[in-house]
Amino acid sequence: MKIKNNRLEALRLIISSQQLGSQEELLNALQQEGFKLTQATLSRDLKQLKVAKAATMGGNYVYVLPNESMYKRVSTPSTIREMMQMPGFVSINFSGNMAVIKTRPGYASSIAWNIDNSAIPQILGTIAGADTIFVALKDGVAKDEIINALSTVIPNIK
């Protein structure tokens, strides 16, 4: 299952960073990333991801992902391997008994869910957008204590 999840993530990143119009082009891009699969498997993956084709400004049709902010097309993409290894966490800032965590687009909800479900006693709760998490902290908790507690959920926070 891990191989399939990695393949699906690579496929999302390829579609969001390149303008490809055929399954053959997608298969070649996936092969360059080390994934070996058949056209039938690719078709099932595209259906599972709800991938569609849309017209470009030039009149060509290319694969696009459903409206997910995390996979909006980027103009200067990193390599697929680099994007898959990037963490979702970007930064954290504090003000009184509040913290604001910035994430990569699309990561805030899953990180907030992990925070809420880790039962960190210093945190009252979270509210997440697409790339920002508001964290309500208990009164009198030190920043270092919060960062140490969050490091179990967000390993690269330190």
Side-chain angles (χ1 to χ4, degrees), residues 28-47:
N28 289 336
L30 284 165
Q31 281 183 338
Q32 289 177 357
E33 296 302 325
F35 295 95
K36 305 266 189 268
L37 63 151
T38 65
Q39 184 274 328
T41 300
L42 176 60
S43 287
R44 286 189 294 273
D45 289 351
L46 292 172
K47 185 175 181 178

Side-chain angles (χ1 to χ4, degrees), residues 73-153:
R73 190 168 307 281
V74 292
S75 57
T76 55
S78 305
T79 68
I80 301 304
R81 289 200 197 298
E82 289 172 338
M83 286 189 274
M84 288 178 73
Q85 292 176 354
M86 279 185 199
F89 171 78
V90 174
S91 67
I92 185 168
N93 288 294
F94 295 91
S95 178
N97 68 331
M98 298 179 293
V100 175
I101 298 174
K102 297 300 277 178
T103 71
R104 288 178 49 211
Y107 278 78
S109 293
S110 62
I111 292 174
W113 187 90
N114 289 336
I115 292 168
D116 288 338
N117 287 287
S118 63
I120 297 171
Q122 301 91 332
I123 295 177
L124 299 173
T126 64
I127 300 172
D131 63 357
T132 305
I133 305 168
F134 168 80
V135 184
L137 310 172
K138 284 190 175 178
D139 283 333
V141 178
K143 294 176 187 178
D144 291 341
E145 189 178 347
I146 294 295
I147 290 174
N148 284 336
L150 285 172
S151 68
T152 61
V153 179

